[in-house]
């Protein structure tokens, strides 16, 4: 391999990013796809499971814009670090679920809700890692990487379905632990990519390579914060808001099929 080909390969992040996508969606297959299977085994009712999952989705919708704004403003916390932190928290939650499965129902419910919420909060950061890498000039085939995610979801759902027949619902938190640990390792191994603003700041520095630090006027700061608010975003891009509204029924049907299919199956066979 020539030096040119080596340099090109070192800039290509398709495979490292594909691993992130694969392990994340494997975790989603276990946590969301087998939520009713595990929670029914933990003695929750169908209505309680539906309320728990709905609460997780609602909290995610409320927290995601705030967490994204915090990540954008923070200069010390990278998106990769936040992915690692949330993966570690998921790992802790899954281990607690293993030990508390036959214990307190309330504790199991709260911990599973927290794990489901963290997993939902991870998704925009997973996409942000890919966007940052492309923005930094690194080669990344997003479509191919996302295909790895779909393959991982399929593999995890199939394998868990085969082995859970013999092990029971306790295999679900074990699967969450394995996928979270793999996602933690792949996030730690993912190459560091500078934000676009950091690169621009370094280029704007003097001959010594140190970026000049200037405090923007108060009017400029307030205008920037206003432009970054979620309400101004939908005002500037109304077509995007319409597209999101059209996608909502699709995801509602997706939630019904994934989370309530096991409930309907059990109800039919219990008659």
């Amino acid at each position: 391999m020539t030096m040119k080909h080596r340099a090109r390969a070192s800039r290509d992040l398709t495979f490292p990013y594909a691993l992130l996508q694969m392990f994340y969606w494997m975790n989603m297959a276990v946590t969301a796809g087998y939520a009713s299977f595990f929670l029914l085994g933990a003695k929750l009712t169908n209505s309680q499971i539906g309320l728990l999952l709905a609460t997780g989705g609602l909290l995610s919708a409320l927290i995601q814009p705030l967490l994204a704004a915090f990540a954008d403003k923070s200069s010390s916390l990278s998106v990769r670090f936040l992915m690692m932190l949330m993966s570690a928290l998921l790992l802790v939650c899954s281990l607690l679920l293993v030990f508390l499965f036959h214990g307190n129902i309330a504790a199991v419910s709260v911990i599973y809700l927290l794990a489901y919420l963290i997993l939902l909060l991870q998704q925009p950061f997973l996409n942000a890692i890919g966007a940052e890498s492309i923005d930094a000039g690194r080669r990344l085939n997003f479509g191919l990487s996302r295909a790895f995610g779909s393959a991982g979801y399929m593999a995890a759902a199939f394998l868990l379905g085969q082995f859970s027949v013999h092990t029971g619902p306790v295999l679900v938190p074990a699967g969450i632990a394995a996928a979270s640990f793999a996602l933690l390792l792949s996030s730690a191994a993912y190459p560091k990519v500078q934000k676009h603003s950091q690169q621009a700041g370094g280029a704007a520095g003097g001959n010594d390579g140190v970026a000049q630090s200037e405090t923007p006027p108060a009017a400029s700061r307030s205008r920037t914060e206003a432009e970054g608010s979620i309400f101004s975003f939908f005002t500037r891009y109304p077509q995007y808001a319409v597209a999101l509204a059209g996608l909502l029924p699709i995801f509602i049907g997706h939630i019904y099929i994934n989370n309530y299919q096991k409930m309907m199956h059990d109800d039919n066979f219990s008659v």
Side-chain angles (χ1 to χ4, degrees), residues 8 87 160 260:
R8 183 178 301 175
S87 298
L160 195 64
Y260 291 97

Side-chain angles (χ1 to χ4, degrees), residues 11-21 24-25 78-81 83 122-146 183 186-187 190-196:
R11 292 174 58 87
D12 195 327
L13 297 180
T14 300
F15 181 71
Y17 187 67
L19 291 180
L20 294 180
Q21 287 278 355
Y24 173 80
W25 287 104
S78 65
V79 177
R80 186 177 69 97
F81 175 79
M83 280 289 294
Q122 270 190 313
Q123 188 170 352
F125 290 99
L126 177 65
N127 295 332
I129 290 177
E132 280 189 357
S133 300
I134 296 173
D135 190 47
R138 309 294 290 270
R139 294 185 59 185
L140 193 154
N141 189 326
F142 189 90
L144 180 60
S145 301
R146 184 60 183 83
L183 184 57
S186 57
S187 299
Y190 194 84
K192 294 182 180 180
V193 177
Q194 284 187 332
K195 293 182 179 180
H196 182 71

Side-chain angles (χ1 to χ4, degrees), residues 147-171:
F148 271 77
S150 298
Y153 190 104
M154 176 192 66
F158 174 78
L159 292 175
L160 195 64
Q162 295 297 312
F163 290 105
S164 61
V165 177
H166 307 286
T167 63
V170 74
L171 186 62

Side-chain angles (χ1 to χ4, degrees), residues 69-124:
F70 170 76
D72 287 338
K73 294 178 181 178
S74 176
S75 58
S76 58
L77 297 179
S78 65
V79 177
R80 186 177 69 97
F81 175 79
L82 292 174
M83 280 289 294
M84 293 170 56
L85 178 61
M86 287 187 280
S87 298
L89 291 175
L90 271 171
L91 181 59
V92 173
C93 289
S94 61
L95 295 177
L96 289 174
L97 288 172
V98 171
F99 292 108
L100 297 175
F101 176 63
H102 296 292
N104 190 284
I105 296 179
V108 171
S109 302
V110 172
I111 295 172
Y112 204 94
L113 171 62
L114 181 61
Y116 183 57
L117 173 61
I118 294 172
L119 187 64
L120 293 177
L121 293 175
Q122 270 190 313
Q123 188 170 352

